[in-house]
Amino acid sequence: MLLSGALMSWEVQALELLFHFSALPPYVKEDPRQGLVPEIVTRAFATQGIQCRFIRSNNKRMETEVEAGTADAGFAGIPVNNPKIFFSDPVIDFENVAITLSSKNVQINSLSDLSDKKIVAFSNAQRVLGPQFAQAIKNNPSYSEVGDQASQLPMLDAGRGDVILLDLRAFQYFARLLHGKTEAKSRYAVHHLFKPTPRLLGFHKSEYRDQFNKGLKAIQKNGEYASILDNYRND
């Protein structure tokens, strides 16, 4: 009876953290409880006896609420130079890539090859992809950016761009939704022009950041982290 009471007391007092996530499939799906990152975060904090609650947000709101402490953490949308935020160890790497139609046989071996192509990039790509990229497309009148990454492949398919730029896992996710795994693999060519970039969680409190880092190391060591990545390779 005493043991049962102690367990009930622990359950009532279990810590729950609130996370603000922007939709970014497959990392965070339209339901912010679903996706690669919420699963990593949930598993990592479970090793620390901490529960997680996720709500859909946008980058500006995420940063404001984590700063204020009305949210405990946000993923990827907070500038890493924000001195009020405590950033975690890398949760996962993003690799931005250039995608073309295989049938067009477009040759892209370096950033300079993008200078004369009709490009559809993700929002804010000129800042995110670095000064060499910005210089390469500086005088390109056919460069554009879109906020909805789900629209990029249909635009490429329709001939509204020669090249699209987006994250590799996001490309794989959307390509499989549109065409299935087999056709997607043969339909598109992937050009690796950019180095992978680590993405972090930003926390309001350093102690929650430290607990996440500890849990992340634990699931990387016990194989759970690799298992999550494997599951989403086939998503």
Side-chain angles (χ1 to χ4, degrees):
M1 188 70 176
L2 289 174
L3 178 60
S4 175
L7 288 173
M8 289 178 64
S9 175
W10 181 88
E11 290 173 356
V12 169
Q13 297 174 15
L15 179 62
E16 180 182 79
L17 301 183
L18 175 64
F19 295 82
H20 277 225
F21 283 174
S22 299
L24 185 63
Y27 300 98
V28 182
K29 297 189 179 181
E30 294 299 318
D31 180 342
R33 297 169 298 178
Q34 299 178 356
L36 197 159
V37 172
E39 191 164 346
I40 290 172
V41 171
T42 299
R43 300 275 190 93
F45 272 115
T47 70
Q48 307 301 300
I50 296 174
Q51 299 174 2
C52 303
R53 182 160 64 95
F54 305 99
I55 65 171
R56 186 173 175 180
S57 189
N58 58 61
N59 290 351
K60 184 175 180 180
R61 180 186 174 197
M62 181 192 307
E63 184 173 12
T64 299
E65 298 220 16
V66 174
E67 278 188 2
T70 48
D72 294 298
F75 173 70
I78 304 174
V80 295
N81 60 356
N82 186 324
K84 299 178 181 178
I85 304 296
F86 298 93
F87 290 96
S88 72
D89 291 340
V91 179
I92 197 164
D93 286 347
F94 283 14
E95 183 189 356
N96 290 302
V97 293
I99 305 296
T100 60
L101 291 172
S102 297
S103 60
K104 299 292 187 181
N105 196 31
V106 179
Q107 298 300 307
I108 301 176
N109 299 305
S110 67
L111 291 176
S112 61
D113 293 329
L114 298 174
S115 62
D116 61 348
K117 305 294 189 298
K118 186 187 294 184
I119 299 170
V120 181
F122 58 88
S123 180
N124 214 24
Q126 286 194 66
R127 290 181 60 193
V128 171
L129 296 178
Q132 288 183 311
F133 170 75
Q135 183 63 34
I137 56 89
K138 181 179 180 180
N139 298 314
N140 186 340
S142 299
Y143 175 84
S144 63
E145 297 181 357
V146 295
D148 180 11
Q149 291 192 36
S151 69
Q152 288 178 276
L153 278 174
M155 292 176 73
L156 181 65
D157 287 342
R160 294 172 61 189
D162 302 318
V163 186
I164 61 172
L165 303 177
L166 74 170
D167 170 75
L168 178 60
R169 286 191 183 92
F171 155 68
Q172 292 169 336
Y173 176 82
F174 290 125
R176 290 167 184 171
L177 282 181
L178 283 172
H179 301 294
K181 185 176 180 179
T182 301
E183 183 180 344
K185 190 173 182 179
S186 61
R187 185 180 183 87
Y188 302 107
V190 181
H191 310 268
H192 298 271
L193 301 176
F194 308 96
K195 293 180 179 179
T197 305
R199 296 301 187 191
L200 320 174
L201 284 168
F203 286 87
H204 178 69
K205 293 184 177 181
S206 61
E207 55 262 42
Y208 296 157
R209 183 270 315 273
D210 295 343
Q211 287 174 300
F212 172 74
N213 287 345
K214 185 177 179 182
L216 180 63
K217 288 182 174 66
I219 64 172
Q220 288 171 335
K221 185 175 181 180
N222 69 18
E224 284 188 84
Y225 182 91
S227 177
I228 294 169
L229 295 188
D230 285 342
N231 288 341
Y232 280 88
R233 285 193 181 99
N234 297 314
D235 196 320

